[in-house]
PDB file of all heavy atoms in Angstrom:
ATOM      1  N   GLY A  53      31.400-126.237  18.024  1.00 98.00           N
ATOM      2  CA  GLY A  53      30.740-126.636  16.789  1.00 98.00           C
ATOM      3  C   GLY A  53      29.797-125.602  16.242  1.00 98.00           C
ATOM      4  O   GLY A  53      29.540-125.582  15.044  1.00 98.00           O
ATOM      5  N   GLY A 105      33.904-122.790  10.050  1.00 98.00           N
ATOM      6  CA  GLY A 105      33.380-124.092  10.494  1.00 98.00           C
ATOM      7  C   GLY A 105      32.648-124.071  11.817  1.00 98.00           C
ATOM      8  O   GLY A 105      32.506-125.059  12.498  1.00 98.00           O
ATOM      9  N   VAL A 106      32.082-122.889  12.203  1.00 98.00           N
ATOM     10  CA  VAL A 106      31.244-122.801  13.383  1.00 98.00           C
ATOM     11  C   VAL A 106      29.869-122.424  12.859  1.00 98.00           C
ATOM     12  O   VAL A 106      29.671-121.387  12.230  1.00 98.00           O
ATOM     13  CB  VAL A 106      31.757-121.671  14.329  1.00 98.00           C
ATOM     14  CG1 VAL A 106      30.870-121.557  15.541  1.00 98.00           C
ATOM     15  CG2 VAL A 106      33.174-122.001  14.768  1.00 98.00           C
ATOM     16  N   SER A 148      -6.764-112.094  11.334  1.00 98.00           N
ATOM     17  CA  SER A 148      -7.518-112.878  12.381  1.00 98.00           C
ATOM     18  C   SER A 148      -7.793-114.330  11.952  1.00 98.00           C
ATOM     19  O   SER A 148      -7.989-115.188  12.799  1.00 98.00           O
ATOM     20  CB  SER A 148      -8.832-112.179  12.690  1.00 98.00           C
ATOM     21  OG  SER A 148      -9.568-112.035  11.490  1.00 98.00           O
ATOM     22  N   TRP A 149      -7.761-114.648  10.659  1.00 97.00           N
ATOM     23  CA  TRP A 149      -7.994-115.998  10.188  1.00 97.00           C
ATOM     24  C   TRP A 149      -6.860-116.936  10.633  1.00 97.00           C
ATOM     25  O   TRP A 149      -7.010-118.148  10.615  1.00 97.00           O
ATOM     26  CB  TRP A 149      -7.979-116.047   8.651  1.00 97.00           C
ATOM     27  CG  TRP A 149      -9.047-115.214   8.024  1.00 97.00           C
ATOM     28  CD1 TRP A 149      -8.942-113.988   7.473  1.00 97.00           C
ATOM     29  CD2 TRP A 149     -10.438-115.607   7.890  1.00 97.00           C
ATOM     30  NE1 TRP A 149     -10.156-113.581   6.997  1.00 97.00           N
ATOM     31  CE2 TRP A 149     -11.099-114.549   7.245  1.00 97.00           C
ATOM     32  CE3 TRP A 149     -11.163-116.749   8.306  1.00 97.00           C
ATOM     33  CZ2 TRP A 149     -12.453-114.593   6.957  1.00 97.00           C
ATOM     34  CZ3 TRP A 149     -12.509-116.785   8.022  1.00 97.00           C
ATOM     35  CH2 TRP A 149     -13.142-115.711   7.372  1.00 97.00           C
ATOM     36  N   ASP A 227       8.421-130.478   6.523  1.00 97.00           N
ATOM     37  CA  ASP A 227       8.454-131.138   5.211  1.00 97.00           C
ATOM     38  C   ASP A 227       8.667-130.170   4.084  1.00 97.00           C
ATOM     39  O   ASP A 227       9.039-130.569   2.982  1.00 97.00           O
ATOM     40  CB  ASP A 227       7.153-131.942   5.010  1.00 97.00           C
ATOM     41  CG  ASP A 227       7.141-133.263   5.743  1.00 97.00           C
ATOM     42  OD1 ASP A 227       8.194-133.672   6.280  1.00 97.00           O
ATOM     43  OD2 ASP A 227       6.055-133.885   5.875  1.00 97.00           O
ATOM     44  N   PHE A 237      27.609-127.027   3.323  1.00 98.00           N
ATOM     45  CA  PHE A 237      27.173-128.315   3.803  1.00 98.00           C
ATOM     46  C   PHE A 237      27.057-129.294   2.630  1.00 98.00           C
ATOM     47  O   PHE A 237      26.824-128.900   1.497  1.00 98.00           O
ATOM     48  CB  PHE A 237      25.821-128.146   4.491  1.00 98.00           C
ATOM     49  CG  PHE A 237      25.850-127.197   5.636  1.00 98.00           C
ATOM     50  CD1 PHE A 237      25.476-125.856   5.481  1.00 98.00           C
ATOM     51  CD2 PHE A 237      26.381-127.562   6.900  1.00 98.00           C
ATOM     52  CE1 PHE A 237      25.551-124.951   6.517  1.00 98.00           C
ATOM     53  CE2 PHE A 237      26.431-126.647   7.930  1.00 98.00           C
ATOM     54  CZ  PHE A 237      26.026-125.330   7.757  1.00 98.00           C
ATOM     55  N   SER A 260       8.448-137.577  24.167  1.00 98.00           N
ATOM     56  CA  SER A 260       8.569-138.623  23.161  1.00 98.00           C
ATOM     57  C   SER A 260       7.650-138.391  21.938  1.00 98.00           C
ATOM     58  O   SER A 260       7.916-138.887  20.843  1.00 98.00           O
ATOM     59  CB  SER A 260       8.261-139.999  23.772  1.00 98.00           C
ATOM     60  OG  SER A 260       6.958-140.023  24.248  1.00 98.00           O
ATOM     61  N   TYR A 336      28.936-124.874  39.412  1.00 98.00           N
ATOM     62  CA  TYR A 336      28.590-124.799  37.949  1.00 98.00           C
ATOM     63  C   TYR A 336      29.655-125.430  37.094  1.00 98.00           C
ATOM     64  O   TYR A 336      29.360-126.193  36.194  1.00 98.00           O
ATOM     65  CB  TYR A 336      28.360-123.357  37.573  1.00 98.00           C
ATOM     66  CG  TYR A 336      27.774-123.194  36.183  1.00 98.00           C
ATOM     67  CD1 TYR A 336      26.466-123.627  35.903  1.00 98.00           C
ATOM     68  CD2 TYR A 336      28.497-122.593  35.148  1.00 98.00           C
ATOM     69  CE1 TYR A 336      25.954-123.486  34.633  1.00 98.00           C
ATOM     70  CE2 TYR A 336      27.984-122.441  33.895  1.00 98.00           C
ATOM     71  CZ  TYR A 336      26.662-122.894  33.613  1.00 98.00           C
ATOM     72  OH  TYR A 336      26.182-122.779  32.400  1.00 98.00           O
ATOM     73  N   GLY A 341      31.463-129.475  33.578  1.00 99.00           N
ATOM     74  CA  GLY A 341      32.562-130.427  33.387  1.00 99.00           C
ATOM     75  C   GLY A 341      32.035-131.845  33.282  1.00 99.00           C
ATOM     76  O   GLY A 341      32.452-132.630  32.410  1.00 99.00           O
ATOM     77  N   ARG A 361      20.487-110.016  40.535  1.00 96.00           N
ATOM     78  CA  ARG A 361      19.445-110.967  41.042  1.00 96.00           C
ATOM     79  C   ARG A 361      18.927-110.432  42.365  1.00 96.00           C
ATOM     80  O   ARG A 361      19.728-110.022  43.225  1.00 96.00           O
ATOM     81  CB  ARG A 361      20.100-112.332  41.223  1.00 96.00           C
ATOM     82  CG  ARG A 361      19.193-113.463  40.869  1.00 96.00           C
ATOM     83  CD  ARG A 361      19.942-114.750  40.695  1.00 96.00           C
ATOM     84  NE  ARG A 361      20.960-115.054  41.690  1.00 96.00           N
ATOM     85  CZ  ARG A 361      21.334-116.294  42.014  1.00 96.00           C
ATOM     86  NH1 ARG A 361      20.728-117.331  41.484  1.00 96.00           N
ATOM     87  NH2 ARG A 361      22.285-116.506  42.894  1.00 96.00           N
ATOM     88  N   ALA A 434      35.047-140.960  39.478  1.00 99.00           N
ATOM     89  CA  ALA A 434      35.947-140.836  38.350  1.00 99.00           C
ATOM     90  C   ALA A 434      35.450-141.713  37.225  1.00 99.00           C
ATOM     91  O   ALA A 434      34.781-142.745  37.478  1.00 99.00           O
ATOM     92  CB  ALA A 434      37.361-141.219  38.768  1.00 99.00           C
TER      93      ALA A 434
END
Side-chain angles (χ1 to χ4, degrees):
V106 179
S148 56
W149 299 101
D227 283 347
F237 302 97
S260 61
Y336 189 66
R361 217 163 43 152

